[in-house]
Amino acid sequence: MDCLVYVDPSTRGDWALALAALLPERERRAFHLLATAEDLKKHPDLLERAAARLAGAQSLRPVTRPGPPRRAVVLEAQERSYDLVVVPPAGRNAVQRLLKGSRVATVVRGVRAPVLVARRPPSRLDRILAAVSGGDATEAVVAAAAELATGPNGHVDYLHVASEVALPFAPHEPPAPPALGPPPDALHSAQAALARAGSSGALVVREGIVVDEVLDAFEAGAYDLLVIGASEAERGRLGREDVTQRMVLGCPGSTLVVPASRLRPAWAQDKIEHSQ
């Protein structure tokens, strides 16, 4: 399992390394540690110190690319197939993101792999909240959450939000052609995905605005990690009002963004197949 970790010399870079060190089965993971040429010039031992934090991994490979960081991560992830990309946020406020853009949004939009956004990682990945919409990314979200909760105290709760309030500035999708029979119910689709994966976690249903309900549940439950999905359409158009981006930027903890089910990585596919 190849995992790309962006090594930032700031405190936020420590978050990414600490979270990468918490990933299960470290001895089976090959970590590729990416730093920009500009950062290495200022901090020559940056990659060596990062490698020491991930000792015990299957392998450690240093990677250097010219900056800026978001471009370096996207280019590396596009040229090599990774099972997971770990990045810390750039630490910009809303005004700075408006002027310079968001690092994590650029990475999520630009790569095909799941993206793990590291924020103040906990001591363990025990309590995981997975948001399941019932859409095309649901099965991959379920599999990814189960994969990360493999420790002795690992536990996953699943949240489905039935949104009855239109999101501001949401794109207007063209009407779908008439289907034979009743349209599939999103909640039933989420329940079916959990059943196929053999999940024993609780499924909580809320009503309201998706972003608000997911973030409220995450904080109220004191979870260690939030897992959300991004459909292919979302990943191609992440903007200021995109649901996935708003959850990533608004979540106070670490967030894993998983691509749609048809783009699921091999490790998530194996998890689903083994549970069937």
Side-chain angles (χ1 to χ4, degrees), residues 12-47:
R12 292 178 297 278
D14 290 337
W15 297 351
L17 291 171
L19 191 58
L22 291 177
L23 294 174
E25 299 183 325
R26 187 194 305 186
E27 67 280 0
R28 295 179 53 197
R29 297 181 183 272
F31 288 100
H32 303 252
L33 306 176
L34 170 64
T36 64
E38 294 79 3
D39 283 339
L40 276 180
K41 186 175 181 180
K42 298 176 183 177
H43 308 275
D45 63 341
L46 180 62
L47 290 178

Side-chain angles (χ1 to χ4, degrees), residues 2-6 23 34 73-74 76-78 80-88 107-108 111-118 255-257 267:
D2 288 328
C3 178
L4 177 65
V5 182
Y6 173 64
L23 294 174
L34 170 64
V73 174
V74 170
E76 175 63 23
Q78 288 178 341
R80 186 184 181 100
S81 178
Y82 287 99
D83 300 297
L84 182 67
V85 176
V86 184
V87 294
V107 172
V108 170
V111 306
R112 297 289 183 179
V115 176
L116 182 54
V117 181
T255 307
L256 175 63
V257 183
W267 58 267

Side-chain angles (χ1 to χ4, degrees), residues 170-188:
H172 297 285
E173 301 291 345
L180 298 177
D185 179 81
L187 175 58
H188 291 166

Side-chain angles (χ1 to χ4, degrees), residues 40-273:
L40 276 180
K41 186 175 181 180
K42 298 176 183 177
H43 308 275
D45 63 341
L46 180 62
L47 290 178
E48 293 179 6
R49 289 188 284 111
R53 296 283 299 275
L54 297 173
Q58 181 185 72
S59 64
L60 295 164
R61 168 180 171 255
V63 185
T64 304
R65 283 186 176 272
R70 72 178 83 180
R71 176 178 173 81
V73 174
V74 170
L75 287 178
E76 175 63 23
Q78 288 178 341
E79 291 186 10
R80 186 184 181 100
S81 178
Y82 287 99
D83 300 297
L84 182 67
V85 176
V86 184
V87 294
R92 295 175 181 146
N93 57 34
V95 174
Q96 291 171 325
R97 285 197 299 269
L98 181 64
L99 297 175
K100 298 183 179 181
S102 165
R103 174 194 292 173
V104 296
T106 300
V107 172
V108 170
R109 182 176 60 244
V111 306
R112 297 289 183 179
V115 176
L116 182 54
V117 181
R119 283 192 178 91
R120 306 183 187 280
S123 57
R124 292 181 301 274
L125 289 178
D126 287 342
R127 292 178 49 78
I128 296 176
L129 177 66
V132 289
S133 67
D136 58 357
T138 297
E139 290 198 21
V141 167
V142 172
E147 175 75 13
L148 292 172
T150 55
N153 299 314
H155 175 79
V156 183
D157 286 330
Y158 300 91
L159 173 66
H160 176 79
V161 179
S163 178
E164 297 182 352
V165 182
L167 295 174
F169 309 111
H172 297 285
E173 301 291 345
L180 298 177
D185 179 81
L187 175 58
H188 291 166
S189 296
Q191 291 171 329
L194 292 175
R196 284 192 295 271
S199 173
S200 60
L203 175 62
V204 177
V205 180
R206 289 190 176 197
E207 292 186 357
I209 298 176
V210 174
V211 175
D212 294 346
E213 295 299 327
V214 170
L215 297 185
D216 179 73
F218 181 86
E219 292 194 71
Y223 290 98
D224 300 322
L225 179 70
L226 173 65
V227 182
I228 60 177
S231 69
E232 178 63 3
E234 284 180 326
R235 290 170 70 85
R237 63 163 176 81
L238 285 180
R240 285 190 301 159
E241 298 301 332
D242 177 76
V243 172
T244 301
Q245 178 176 325
R246 289 172 63 193
M247 284 195 282
V248 171
L249 296 180
C251 183
S254 298
T255 307
L256 175 63
V257 183
V258 186
S261 55
R262 66 186 182 89
L263 297 175
R264 71 169 66 92
W267 58 267
Q269 176 65 43
D270 291 343
K271 186 69 177 180
I272 290 178
E273 291 175 352

